């Protein structure tokens, strides 16, 4: 396996040629469509939704069945996994992987995100759409905005305030920061209700309030105050870590796109994305997002089709001389931490 592409400089790539077959992406799309990989998979999603809902309801039942015991913290950890699976399901709904029509996708997405998880579907959808349009772009991708962490040396040189303080030792602080990511998602969800880009702020706000009233009501009804607070802390902390460990390997440590770079759609998506190997277990834990290259190229592709699409895309990229990168899960984390340490160097050296 080759080394990961450079993160701050333009890669050496072949110039895209648009011949009689159309653009490179058009040619790949035809191969993917010919295999039926964009067709809906209603049976798969019916089973997956049923399993996630069963785990969700079962978790709350177990909260009362266990009663007043510190074993509830183990349940809190398990429920963080369930909530993350709800989040991954809302992600698929948002991309219309489950339904082809917008209305059922939005209804399902708001139920999963706002009502069950406590995160604004509208706020996340807006942010995620901008990410897909410009992955790892230093100025346009909100997921690499240098609010707390710097993702390129250019950002490090321009950083100030808290980002500059954290950037010095961000490789060591990244996981501790993820402990707060669950709370951060909820905070930004409520804050976004005032945004003019929010389509249905009243509906989203009501669903969020219902979620948190029910969430805290159930916890404090089942447990004494001390254990209820501990349950909340463990649940939210591990939820943030889990989500971060699912989403970070997808792009972090890959090519950072600057305004000077000119990349066509295919290369923009492939060169900024990392696939993670690992088989059925990793596929389930990461909700199919370990096939990040294919997900970015074909966002509406159902999860079970991504593995086959990866083989086709890998072969096509080899034919076109386009670097296609995939590693194991542990290797992806090593690359992320190495990237974080490397990009913080300008702050540590005083550049």
């Amino acid at each position: 396996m080759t080394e990961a592409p450079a993160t701050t400089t333009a890669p050496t790539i072949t110039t895209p040629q648009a011949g009689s077959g159309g653009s490179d992406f058009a040619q790949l799309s035809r191969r993917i469509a010919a295999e039926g990989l964009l067709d809906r998979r209603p049976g798969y999603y019916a089973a997956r939704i049923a399993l996630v809902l069963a785990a969700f309801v079962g978790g709350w039942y177990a909260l009362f069945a266990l009663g007043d015991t510190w074993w509830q913290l183990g349940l809190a950890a398990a429920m963080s996994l369930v909530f993350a699976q709800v989040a991954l399901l809302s992600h698929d709904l948002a991309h219309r992987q489950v339904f082809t029509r917008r209305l059922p996708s939005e209804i399902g997405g708001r139920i999963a995100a706002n009502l069950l998880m406590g995160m604004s579907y509208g706020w996340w959808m807006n942010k995620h759409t901008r990410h897909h349009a410009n992955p790892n772009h230093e100025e346009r991708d909100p997921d690499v905005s240098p609010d707390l962490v710097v993702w390129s040396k250019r950002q490090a040189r321009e950083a100030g305030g808290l980002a500059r303080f954290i950037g010095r030792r961000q490789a060591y602080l990244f996981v501790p920061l993820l402990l707060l990511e669950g709370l951060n998602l909820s905070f930004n969800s409520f804050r976004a209700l005032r945004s003019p880009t929010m389509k249905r702020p009243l509906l989203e706000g009501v669903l969020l309030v219902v979620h948190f009233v029910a969430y805290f009501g159930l916890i404090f009804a089942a447990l004494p105050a001390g254990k209820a607070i501990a349950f909340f802390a463990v649940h939210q902390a591990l939820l943030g870590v889990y989500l971060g460990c699912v989403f970070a390997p997808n792009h972090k440590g890959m090519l950072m796109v600057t305004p000077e770079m000119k990349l066509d759609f295919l290369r923009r998506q492939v060169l900024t994305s990392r696939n993670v190997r690992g088989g059925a277990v990793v596929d389930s834990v990461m909700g199919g997002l370990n096939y990040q290259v294919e997900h970015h190229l074909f966002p509406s592709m159902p999860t079970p089709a991504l593995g086959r699409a990866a083989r086709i895309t890998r072969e096509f990229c080899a034919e076109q001389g386009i670097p296609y990168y995939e590693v194991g899960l542990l290797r992806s984390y090593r690359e992320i931490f190495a990237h974080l340490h490397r990009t913080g160097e300008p702050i540590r050296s005083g550049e």
Side-chain angles (χ1 to χ4, degrees):
M1 181 60 63
T2 58
E3 292 298 314
T7 58
T8 56
T9 59
T12 301
I13 57 177
T14 57
T15 303
Q17 301 292 330
S20 58
S23 69
D24 289 342
F25 178 66
Q27 295 177 49
L28 174 60
S29 296
R30 283 194 290 272
R31 295 190 190 183
I32 293 293
E35 296 288 332
L37 299 179
L38 296 175
D39 297 343
R40 300 278 77 77
R41 303 290 183 92
Y44 165 81
Y45 277 108
R48 180 174 164 188
I49 290 170
L51 288 173
V52 171
L53 288 178
F56 186 85
V57 173
W60 291 117
Y61 173 80
L63 178 71
F64 287 89
L66 282 174
D68 184 1
T69 170
W70 285 107
W71 287 109
Q72 292 281 9
L73 299 186
L75 177 62
M79 286 297 283
S80 71
L81 306 182
V82 175
F83 269 53
Q85 288 298 319
V86 172
L88 292 170
L89 196 54
S90 68
H91 169 273
D92 289 8
L93 285 159
H95 281 295
R96 301 192 190 182
Q97 296 176 19
V98 185
F99 306 108
T100 56
R101 294 172 54 234
R102 178 183 60 83
L103 183 59
S105 298
E106 288 187 352
I107 292 173
R110 288 194 175 95
I111 291 173
N114 292 61
L115 189 60
L116 299 185
M117 188 193 167
M119 180 185 74
S120 168
Y121 172 85
W123 163 73
W124 179 86
M125 184 68 170
N126 177 277
K127 183 172 78 76
H128 197 62
T129 299
R130 288 184 286 135
H131 159 70
H132 265 263
N134 291 283
N136 271 17
H137 193 289
E138 287 186 337
E139 298 179 357
R140 299 175 184 173
D141 182 358
D143 287 356
V144 292
S145 175
D147 298 324
L148 291 178
V149 176
V150 293
W151 301 105
S152 71
K153 290 187 175 181
R154 177 185 294 185
Q155 289 181 347
R157 294 185 186 99
E158 298 173 354
L162 191 56
R164 189 168 187 84
F165 173 78
I166 291 176
R168 292 178 181 275
R169 43 191 73 82
Q170 60 184 18
Y172 304 98
L173 295 176
F174 186 62
V175 172
L177 286 172
L178 288 181
L179 294 170
L180 302 174
E181 182 59 21
L183 297 176
N184 181 55
L185 292 174
S186 298
F187 172 76
N188 282 313
S189 294
F190 278 104
R191 189 174 66 171
L193 295 176
R194 296 183 178 182
S195 171
T197 62
M198 181 69 71
K199 292 182 178 179
R200 291 178 174 81
L202 180 59
L203 173 60
E204 296 239 1
V206 168
L207 290 174
L208 286 173
V209 170
V210 169
H211 166 83
F212 282 104
V213 168
Y215 177 84
F216 287 113
L218 289 170
I219 293 174
F220 280 90
L223 301 172
K227 289 188 177 69
I229 293 172
F231 183 100
F232 167 75
V234 170
H235 177 240
Q236 291 297 319
L238 294 183
L239 173 62
V241 171
Y242 184 3
L243 290 176
C245 289
V246 167
F247 284 95
N250 302 338
H251 302 282
K252 304 303 184 271
M254 294 300 291
L255 174 72
M256 289 292 292
V257 180
T258 65
E260 299 79 22
M261 294 182 188
K262 304 300 179 184
L263 300 172
D264 67 323
F265 176 78
L266 178 65
R267 288 160 178 80
R268 184 166 69 247
Q269 304 299 340
V270 173
L271 296 175
T272 60
S273 301
R274 174 197 290 108
N275 276 14
V276 178
R277 296 189 299 264
V281 173
V282 172
D283 290 0
S284 298
V285 169
M286 299 187 69
L289 294 183
N290 48 311
Y291 299 107
Q292 192 65 194
V293 172
E294 290 67 37
H295 171 61
H296 262 253
L297 290 171
F298 307 99
S300 64
M301 180 180 290
T303 296
L306 290 168
R308 172 59 180 156
R311 291 190 287 274
I312 295 173
T313 303
R314 189 186 309 114
E315 293 170 0
F316 182 83
C317 287
E319 294 170 10
Q320 303 299 321
I322 302 172
Y324 179 101
Y325 195 63
E326 58 180 353
V327 295
L329 187 60
L330 294 180
R331 171 70 179 270
S332 73
Y333 293 138
R334 288 198 298 269
E335 291 178 358
I336 291 167
F337 289 116
H339 173 72
L340 288 170
H341 186 72
R342 186 166 56 248
T343 53
E345 175 58 29
I347 300 176
R348 294 191 298 274
S349 64
E351 288 185 30

